[in-house]
């Protein structure tokens, strides 16, 4: 039964995939027929992206039924192209960074603290540094040895907290096992918590009439994709599969703030298929390959697939391929719009990190 295998994503970095996890491949317990490739569907005509909304809870209506993300069930779903949207977001950020620099002489700064020598974490930090450089954000980096103490890490955080040239602080996860993640993440100033992990930021997100300083990057990216593809949220039924602090829970809170009626499906949920089938919007972030099948999907629903899972594939040069939590080949025949894996939510996460850093600099320096 599906509910017996449903598990929640609890890793702090879902995207991109950690290479260190590759030997522990997800067994092919949910075989998904290779009826279509996400890359093939990219070749289809892309919808015109809607203008960027001014607020995350401001949902633009589709200009016409032809532009709506909801299409008839007998057609292939529109591909929600995360690469395309992330590129657009980065271009917008670069323009804003230039305006800020020219107007008040301030360049947004992002500091990243890396503890240890994990190859995947080093790659992520390197990618973030490149992304900062591409949009004109200044990057700062601290690399500490694996056996560093919590006190040493917190000392560097405190230094960045008080540095006026730093507007965002990110502690690369996972941390070494001898460290308490909560102690370290809580040391980051809430005003520079561009990852959105500080409990006060999450608390403000959960409260009506309050706004957090920052929204966690992956959930924010999910919402941005829905907005830019004109998916109507207000008054719609939404299901979030997975209840992690990093993706599932904040995604549900964001959907609720956007006036959707939200249900969360998790490991103890009975009849998850029936609940998911009622949803106009599904965000899947559970970490089980191909869990959500075509018969779980309401015709015309919008599907945001956060999962990224390796499955054995002898035809691939790497011996594996990446799939999401949703069986793409089946769901794309039923849904109105769907994100591919890879190329959907993944590119949005770093784009939203840059967005949060820019927002922080604007807030600190009162720049409109």
């Amino acid at each position: 039964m599906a509910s017996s295998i449903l598990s929640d994503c609890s890793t702090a970095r879902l995207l991109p995939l950690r290479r260190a996890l590759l030997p522990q491949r997800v067994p092919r317990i949910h075989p998904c027929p290779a009826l279509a490739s996400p890359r093939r569907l990219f070749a289809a005509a892309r919808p015109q992206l809607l203008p960027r909304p001014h607020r995350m809870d401001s949902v633009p209506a589709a200009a016409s039924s032809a532009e709506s993300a909801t299409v008839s069930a007998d057609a292939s779903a529109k591909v929600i192209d995360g690469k395309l949207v992330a590129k657009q977001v980065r271009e917008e950020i670069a323009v804003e960074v230039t305006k800020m620099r020219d107007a008040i002489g301030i360049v947004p700064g992002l500091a990243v603290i890396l503890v240890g020598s994990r190859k995947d974490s080093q790659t992520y930090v390197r990618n973030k540094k490149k992304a900062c450089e591409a949009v004109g954000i200044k990057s700062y980096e601290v690399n500490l040895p694996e056996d560093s103490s919590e006190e040493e890490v917190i000392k560097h955080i405190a230094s960045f907290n008080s540095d006026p040239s730093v507007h965002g602080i990110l502690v690369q996860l996972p941390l070494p096992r001898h460290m308490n993640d909560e102690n370290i993440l809580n040391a980051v100033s809430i005003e520079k918590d561009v990852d959105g992990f500080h409990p006060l930021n999450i608390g403000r997100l959960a409260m009506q009439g309050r706004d957090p300083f920052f929204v966690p990057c992956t959930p924010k990216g999910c919402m941005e994709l829905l907005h830019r593809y004109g998916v109507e949220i207000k008054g719609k039924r939404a299901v979030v599969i997975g209840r992690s602090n990093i993706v599932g829970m904040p995604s549900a809170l964001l959907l609720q703030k956007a006036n959707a009626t939200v249900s969360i499906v998790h490991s103890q949920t009975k009849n998850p298929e029936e609940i998911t089938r009622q949803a106009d919007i599904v965000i899947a972030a559970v970490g089980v390959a191909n869990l959500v099948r075509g018969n779980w999907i309401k015709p015309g629903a919008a599907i945001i697939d956060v999962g990224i899972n390796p499955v054995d594939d002898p035809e691939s040069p790497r011996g594996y391929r990446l799939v999401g939590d949703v069986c793409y080949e089946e769901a794309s025949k039923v849904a109105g719009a769907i994100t591919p894996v890879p190329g959907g939510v993944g590119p949005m996460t770093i784009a939203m990190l840059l967005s949060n850093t820019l927002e922080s600099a604007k807030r600190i320096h009162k720049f409109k």
Side-chain angles (χ1 to χ4, degrees):
M1 185 171 177
S3 60
S4 65
I5 58 171
L6 199 64
S7 63
D8 301 315
C9 287
S10 59
T11 55
R13 295 284 187 275
L14 290 178
L15 299 168
L17 177 73
R18 298 194 192 110
R19 292 191 180 277
L21 293 182
L22 295 182
Q24 301 174 10
R25 292 172 187 164
V26 178
R28 302 194 64 172
I29 54 175
H30 301 290
C32 189
L35 301 177
S37 164
R39 295 189 181 277
R40 277 184 226 149
L41 291 176
F42 270 112
R46 287 169 173 155
Q48 181 67 39
L49 296 182
L50 297 177
R52 185 174 187 266
H54 294 293
R55 291 176 53 86
M56 286 299 291
D57 58 357
S58 171
V59 183
S64 68
S65 58
E67 293 175 345
S68 171
T70 301
V71 295
S72 60
D74 59 354
S76 294
K78 289 184 180 179
V79 176
I80 299 178
D81 188 343
K83 288 183 179 179
L84 181 65
V85 177
K87 180 176 181 291
Q88 185 181 49
V89 169
R90 291 194 302 271
E91 289 171 350
E92 293 166 359
I93 291 170
V95 170
E96 291 298 307
V97 168
T98 300
K99 285 181 181 179
M100 188 174 187
R101 182 195 63 206
D102 293 345
I104 62 174
I106 298 295
V107 175
L110 173 66
V112 179
I113 297 174
L114 174 63
V115 185
S117 56
R118 286 177 58 114
K119 296 298 183 184
D120 55 337
S121 292
Q122 291 174 339
T123 299
Y124 301 157
V125 170
R126 188 163 53 249
N127 289 342
K128 288 163 186 171
K129 186 175 182 179
K130 289 180 181 178
C132 285
E133 292 172 352
V135 300
I137 291 176
K138 190 170 183 179
S139 62
Y140 303 84
E141 185 178 337
V142 169
N143 293 292
L144 299 174
E146 182 85 16
D147 59 356
S148 298
S149 66
E150 284 187 25
E151 290 72 21
E152 289 177 273
V153 179
I154 292 173
K155 179 181 177 180
H156 284 284
I157 292 173
S159 176
F160 286 134
N161 281 340
S162 60
D163 187 341
S165 65
V166 172
H167 306 95
I169 302 170
L170 183 150
V171 180
Q172 182 65 40
L173 300 179
L175 290 165
R177 291 185 178 181
H178 68 276
M179 293 186 179
N180 185 307
D181 290 15
E182 184 176 354
N183 290 342
I184 290 174
L185 295 177
N186 288 353
V188 176
S189 167
I190 188 174
E191 295 184 351
K192 297 186 179 184
D193 171 39
V194 288
D195 248 345
F197 293 161
H198 196 289
L200 291 179
N201 269 322
I202 296 297
R204 292 173 68 95
L205 179 62
M207 297 176 69
Q208 293 188 30
R210 301 285 183 91
D211 290 315
F213 284 97
F214 305 101
V215 173
C217 299
T218 299
K220 184 177 181 180
C222 294
M223 297 298 291
E224 192 76 4
L225 289 174
L226 292 172
H227 289 314
R228 297 214 182 206
Y229 273 81
V231 176
E232 186 176 0
I233 302 176
K234 183 179 180 180
K236 299 299 182 179
R237 300 198 68 168
V239 165
V240 177
I241 305 177
R243 54 180 172 179
S244 72
N245 290 334
I246 307 306
V247 181
M249 182 269 292
S251 294
L253 293 173
L254 286 168
L255 288 164
Q256 183 173 276
K257 274 187 177 287
N259 296 310
T261 299
V262 183
S263 299
I264 299 177
V265 169
H266 52 78
S267 57
Q268 302 302 310
T269 300
K270 296 180 180 179
N271 302 319
E273 306 98 321
E274 295 178 14
I275 295 172
T276 305
R277 202 175 296 123
Q278 299 173 22
D280 303 295
I281 299 166
V282 176
I283 295 181
V286 73
V288 178
N290 296 322
L291 174 70
V292 179
R293 309 307 293 257
N295 61 4
W296 287 41
I297 305 299
K298 178 180 179 179
I303 311 299
I304 305 294
D305 190 352
V306 182
I308 183 161
N309 311 286
V311 295
D312 291 326
D313 184 357
E315 297 181 5
S316 170
R318 297 177 295 182
Y320 68 92
R321 61 189 173 93
L322 302 178
V323 301
D325 293 346
V326 178
C327 180
Y328 186 94
E329 290 77 13
E330 294 180 3
S332 63
K333 293 179 175 292
V334 183
I338 188 170
T339 58
V341 175
V345 176
M348 293 299 295
T349 300
I350 289 182
M352 293 299 99
L353 175 65
L354 302 176
S355 173
N356 280 352
T357 303
L358 174 62
E359 287 178 16
S360 178
K362 285 184 170 183
R363 183 187 300 116
I364 290 172
H365 296 284
K366 298 180 173 59
F367 182 75
K368 300 295 184 181

